[in-house]
Amino acid sequence: MSEFIQLHMLVSYPPSNLNRDDLGRPKTAMMGGAQRLRVSSQSLKRAWRTSDIFAGALAGHLGIRTKEMGTLVYRSLASGVSLLEIVQGTRDAPATFKPVPEEKARKWASGIAGIFGKLKPGDDALEIEQLAHFSPEEIAAIDALVAKLAATGKDPGEDDKKLLMERHTAADIAMFGRMLAASPIYNTEAAVQVSHAVTVHTVAVEDDYFTAVDDLNRGEEDLGAGHLGETEFASGLFYLYVCVNRDLLRDNLGGDEALTAASLRALVEAATKVAPTGKQNSFASRAYASYLLAERGCQQPRSLSVAYLKPLQDADLLGSAIRVLKETRDKMDAVYGKCSDACCDMNAHAGEGTLQEVLDFVAGHHA
């Protein structure tokens, strides 16, 4: 049976608008008959996946999600610059092969892009209709094919087009999965499930009316502001639940135990430290998790969100949220039996435990 790692986090954000809806307002959700502030799992995963923590800990093992690989391949063929240099955004990268004529470059780039998804309408279209997540191995294979095409000047053969790979070492794909509708055999089942973060208390979204002053307005003719605007914001203490199928994560990474451990460490550190980027310049609403409970075991996992079905109203909101979370876990264990074989927590509110201890706990594996 699979081993699961479950994370229960409490993180408090000051006035912010981290994750907006189609009207620009902070996202909300009804829970327990009360309006809560919400941050979507998609927003959280995006922030973690593109964080410096992931980039540093998982260098060489991160994919790229884009619709525009065809355009990048075309630029490489047309300029003679390596695709890897273009993908990495290297400035003034030198040409490494003779540029390909525009017509051939577009034709070949369109054909390569079409392997990863349905192309948008149009002759020799370069962009695919849906986002595709490319592993480092697939990008390297495309780069090698580009160099071969430029050197031979011949159209790619059927073997050249075998660019999709079932096995790869892209930790972000292994964690969060990928879906290729046209080639489902190359799909990756996500090993990490992330809940929407919701506040443990009722929240009312507020309006911020603001002005901007024209620096060159001396007040001689017009004393008014140069710009008027309005934005919405809210603040709250959020509960977030993450469930990791550790065995599936290891399988997705080809059985690489060291990379699996590194991925788990990066995931937990990013989850506790990295906030979504929405409106950060306006609110500077960066925050670390105040409490983290990690559990490990082979029982069926469960969220502890029911602890906050009744909105909290205590003056010591964080202290109460931690207490209620622990009480709910203990009561559920008393009824169902223990959901985990071991646990480890970090309580910044009380100054107890450390993040390093939790990282060591989730990275460790006991058969």
Side-chain angles (χ1 to χ4, degrees), residues 37-53:
L37 200 59
R38 175 173 64 93
V39 176
S40 72
S41 58
Q42 186 77 357
S43 174
L44 292 166
K45 289 185 285 188
R46 163 78 180 171
W48 303 341
R49 185 173 61 82
T50 59
S51 68
D52 290 341
I53 292 173

Side-chain angles (χ1 to χ4, degrees), residues 217-232:
N217 184 351
R218 308 302 181 187
E220 297 172 355
E221 296 181 2
D222 183 5
L223 296 176
H227 174 75
L228 303 176
E230 187 176 356
T231 189
E232 288 80 20

Side-chain angles (χ1 to χ4, degrees), residues 73 76-77 81 83 97 100 112 141-151:
V73 171
S76 176
L77 287 165
V81 175
L83 174 66
F97 55 83
V100 173
I112 290 172
I142 298 171
D143 181 58
L145 177 57
V146 165
K148 177 181 178 180
L149 294 176

Side-chain angles (χ1 to χ4, degrees), residues 101-113:
E102 193 274 341
E103 185 176 347
K104 275 192 173 182
R106 181 168 290 276
K107 174 186 174 183
W108 289 341
S110 179
I112 290 172

Side-chain angles (χ1 to χ4, degrees), residues 349-365:
H349 183 54
E352 298 171 350
T354 67
L355 176 60
Q356 188 60 53
E357 290 172 349
V358 178
L359 296 180
D360 292 341
F361 173 79
V362 298
H365 177 67

